[in-house]
Amino acid sequence: MKNAVTAALSAALIFGSGSAAFSIERGGVLHYGRYADSLFLDPVLNDANVDIWILSNLYDTLILPTDDGKGLKPGLATDWKIADDGLSVDLTLRQGAMFSDGTPITQDDVIWSLKRAANPENGIWNFLLVSVDDVVAKSDDGITIKLKHTDPAILPALTVFNSAIMPKKPFEASEGSTDAEKAKAFAEHPVGSGPFVLKSWQRGSTMELVKNEHYWGKGEDGKPLPYLDGIEFNLLPDDATRILKLQSGEIDGAELIPYARVAELKQAEGIDMELFPSTRIADVIMNVRPQVDGKDNPLSNEKVRQALNYAANKQAIIQIVTHGVGTPMSSYMSSATPLHVGEGAVYPYDLEKAKQLMKEAGFEDGFSTSILILAGSQDEIGTATALQQMWAQIGVELELQQVDNATRTQKYRDGVFQMRAGAWTDDIADPNEITSYYVYSKNIDAVHSGWKSEKADELFEASQKEIDQEKRAEQYAEIQKIYNDTGPIVPLYETPYPVALSDKVHGFLQIPLGNNVFRAAWMDKQ
């Protein structure tokens, strides 16, 4: 067991961009094109990447993930130690750290933040801290997390957005009688612990962040981070529009570039086309409840789901949509996720087997269904169009429903969809997060699909306490087999993060866990 980690690195090494200090230029506002707007900026109660990837710039956690997404580095805690019996964790808090309003980050704030995140009544991510029994002060500069049972992922869990450190008094003084009501009010004008602060948010248009003048981190020049004066996020759902505005200089960066444009942008003057290593997967999520909107649901039939998988030619989709950048998913989790098992596509293309399974399921003549895709997303439209053609060969008529992100998210959460194009990125260097979301029925009905396996649920619960890595690996291997055989998804491909930046932008990073890290980003002023 890992007994102790000490913050031997300086803040400059922790956060440095790797550029020579004399070359870094401070100031300026970076304009960044997003495919979808955020929904709710609360670390504990959110449920979407459009929120998570903003929150990591507004709030810090006790421990931060390393740039490769695999390790740990000091954040608001400078060192930590797990007890020999595995039932407690001692953390030393960073002295002098302040919130964005200039008030000190206290033991009380840290204890309250972790207890709120671990509260089973708060949000869907509390399972990451389900082992937490209590959080108490330790001497003058630390805390102790007492555990109900051993937890193999407790340290990585402290890097995740929902364990962000928030100010207790301003939150509790917010309007509302419940935690959710207070969170909604507080999120409009949050006081954070991260490198940036929310200045304004015109929903459906722009979001402005400004530098946190009280941030604890130091840059390579020895001065406080961040280097930028601010970030302006521009909502640009249409892929082509994001690219045009980047090419014209109206914005300085753009996320989720369609893979069909990657080669072109790699050759474009003045643009750095980045493919950041990731844990990102793309799939199709099926609603497998017996009925949807009062009608019998063919997708509730396991053989139908298997037929759709065999009839989906993943290699062809990878060539059509990602232009060869992607690789077939070999499990429901990415191959970069710890304890992943599998090689090659989960379901290799086999049209005849797909037809036979449709016949055995009683759907030899096929059926009609629909898929929710994001309007303006070239990748999702391309994937769904390819599936539409492939599934037509087994009699399945697929209707493409292009909607905005907020509409799709609501239908998905309410369970009033048939299929949706899905994507996932790990937020923790452990398989428990994606498994709780995709597999564990007691969390959100297994990725809002209605799928359930009592055996998989039992294995997941046992894995949350298992510190023997060999036994835990066996548990996850069995979970993956159960889900891959009977689960509610069509696993398609995994890909890097495609981000295009002006060549004037330096130090931006999207780590494999998805976090957009603007902390050490800077821009040439000319």
Side-chain angles (χ1 to χ4, degrees):
M1 177 176 292
K2 184 175 183 179
N3 288 326
V5 174
T6 303
L9 297 176
S10 68
L13 183 56
I14 292 171
F15 295 131
S17 65
S19 302
F22 67 84
S23 68
I24 292 173
E25 297 186 51
R26 286 182 170 269
V29 175
L30 190 153
H31 295 78
Y32 194 80
R34 303 182 73 197
Y35 81 98
D37 201 1
S38 294
L39 303 171
F40 182 32
L41 294 178
D42 179 79
V44 172
L45 303 182
N46 75 83
D47 181 21
N49 282 338
V50 290
D51 299 323
I52 295 166
W53 294 352
I54 295 293
L55 288 166
S56 59
N57 293 287
L58 299 178
Y59 295 98
D60 267 2
T61 46
L62 293 174
I63 305 173
L64 299 173
T66 53
D67 289 350
D68 64 5
K70 299 177 181 179
L72 309 171
K73 64 184 181 182
L76 291 173
T78 55
D79 58 76
W80 48 90
K81 179 181 179 181
I82 297 179
D84 291 341
D85 63 5
L87 293 176
S88 65
V89 185
D90 289 337
L91 297 104
T92 301
L93 302 182
R94 185 175 296 279
Q95 296 302 294
M98 292 186 286
F99 289 110
S100 56
D101 64 356
T103 58
I105 297 175
T106 68
Q107 288 174 312
D108 199 31
D109 293 313
V110 174
I111 290 169
W112 171 82
S113 295
L114 294 181
K115 286 184 175 182
R116 178 174 180 252
N119 186 339
E121 301 298 319
N122 288 341
I124 66 169
W125 304 109
N126 53 75
F127 78 91
L128 290 168
L129 299 170
V130 70
S131 64
V132 174
D133 186 40
D134 198 7
V135 186
V136 298
K138 176 182 74 71
S139 65
D140 294 329
D141 63 349
I143 62 162
T144 296
I145 301 174
K146 298 181 179 181
L147 304 179
K148 302 171 190 174
H149 54 74
T150 53
D151 184 346
I154 186 59
L155 292 181
L158 296 177
T159 72
V160 181
F161 53 86
N162 72 314
S163 65
I165 303 307
M166 303 176 68
K168 177 181 177 180
K169 289 181 180 178
F171 184 96
E172 293 192 333
S174 298
E175 293 183 11
S177 58
T178 66
D179 183 90
E181 290 173 350
K182 289 180 180 295
K184 185 176 180 179
F186 182 80
E188 293 299 311
H189 304 284
V191 176
S193 52
F196 293 93
V197 185
L198 179 66
K199 177 183 178 182
S200 68
W201 183 6
Q202 302 298 319
R203 283 174 171 76
S205 177
T206 59
M207 178 187 291
E208 292 182 89
L209 307 186
V210 295
K211 69 186 300 180
N212 176 2
E213 299 288 353
H214 304 284
Y215 191 59
W216 61 269
K218 295 292 192 292
E220 291 186 18
D221 57 4
K223 299 177 182 179
L225 288 171
Y227 299 121
L228 294 170
D229 290 332
I231 311 164
E232 180 176 296
F233 293 105
N234 303 108
L235 178 61
L236 302 167
D238 184 73
D239 294 339
T241 301
R242 286 200 304 284
I243 293 171
L244 282 172
K245 286 186 176 290
L246 177 64
Q247 291 173 323
S248 69
E250 293 180 65
I251 60 175
D252 306 301
E255 65 183 0
L256 292 182
I257 299 298
Y259 295 101
R261 304 290 299 274
V262 167
E264 166 201 343
L265 292 176
K266 277 187 173 292
Q267 302 301 317
E269 185 176 351
I271 292 177
D272 288 334
M273 182 64 236
E274 300 283 357
L275 293 174
F276 292 109
S278 84
T279 54
R280 187 178 189 273
I281 58 169
D283 53 29
V284 172
I285 298 166
M286 296 177 278
N287 187 339
V288 303
R289 296 172 178 86
Q291 289 196 326
V292 177
D293 288 333
K295 298 179 181 179
D296 290 342
N297 180 19
L299 301 177
S300 64
N301 189 305
E302 184 178 307
K303 289 187 176 181
V304 167
R305 300 198 296 274
Q306 292 172 342
L308 292 170
N309 266 289
Y310 279 116
N313 188 332
K314 283 77 172 181
Q315 288 291 359
I317 291 172
I318 288 169
Q319 291 303 317
I320 293 167
V321 178
T322 79
H323 289 241
V325 171
T327 55
M329 286 176 62
S330 48
S331 179
Y332 64 86
M333 64 178 72
S334 85
S335 59
T337 302
L339 304 187
H340 161 278
V341 294
E343 294 182 8
V346 177
Y347 286 86
Y349 180 61
D350 191 332
L351 186 58
E352 292 308 311
K353 190 166 187 177
K355 290 178 178 179
Q356 180 60 36
L357 284 164
M358 289 289 284
K359 183 177 181 179
E360 292 174 9
F363 290 95
E364 188 173 8
D365 296 328
F367 57 87
S368 297
T369 189
S370 62
I371 183 170
L372 297 173
I373 56 176
L374 280 181
S377 171
Q378 188 173 337
D379 290 342
E380 289 195 9
I381 293 169
T383 298
T385 301
L387 290 172
Q388 185 182 53
Q389 297 169 357
M390 293 170 183
W391 288 343
Q393 297 181 74
I394 58 172
V396 174
E397 182 179 336
L398 181 65
E399 176 191 357
L400 276 55
Q401 297 180 349
Q402 296 191 45
V403 296
D404 60 64
N405 187 61
T407 299
R408 180 170 72 173
T409 299
Q410 195 60 55
K411 285 180 174 289
Y412 169 59
R413 291 175 178 174
D414 292 344
V416 290
F417 71 102
Q418 292 177 312
M419 296 186 190
R420 66 154 289 178
W424 171 271
T425 297
D426 293 343
D427 300 289
I428 182 174
D430 193 87
N432 66 350
E433 182 193 28
I434 187 171
T435 302
S436 78
Y437 203 85
Y438 269 65
V439 180
Y440 190 51
S441 67
K442 298 177 184 179
N443 189 11
I444 53 166
D445 285 336
V447 77
H448 296 292
S449 70
W451 182 83
K452 181 177 181 178
S453 163
E454 291 186 2
K455 180 61 174 177
D457 285 349
E458 291 171 3
L459 286 164
F460 174 71
E461 289 172 354
S463 75
Q464 289 287 80
K465 305 175 184 179
E466 185 56 69
I467 58 174
D468 184 311
Q469 284 301 302
E470 287 189 10
K471 290 181 180 178
R472 195 164 186 250
E474 291 172 0
Q475 290 165 337
Y476 270 99
E478 189 172 354
I479 290 171
Q480 288 171 83
K481 184 178 188 314
I482 292 169
Y483 194 84
N484 293 342
D485 287 347
T486 68
I489 69 170
V490 179
L492 296 174
Y493 54 81
E494 48 185 287
T495 52
Y497 301 121
V499 177
L501 301 164
S502 163
D503 62 4
K504 296 180 180 180
V505 175
H506 310 276
F508 169 83
L509 179 66
Q510 186 166 18
I511 71 172
L513 302 178
N515 307 41
N516 286 320
V517 183
F518 292 93
R519 181 189 291 112
W522 59 278
M523 299 170 60
D524 294 330
K525 291 186 178 179
Q526 295 182 346

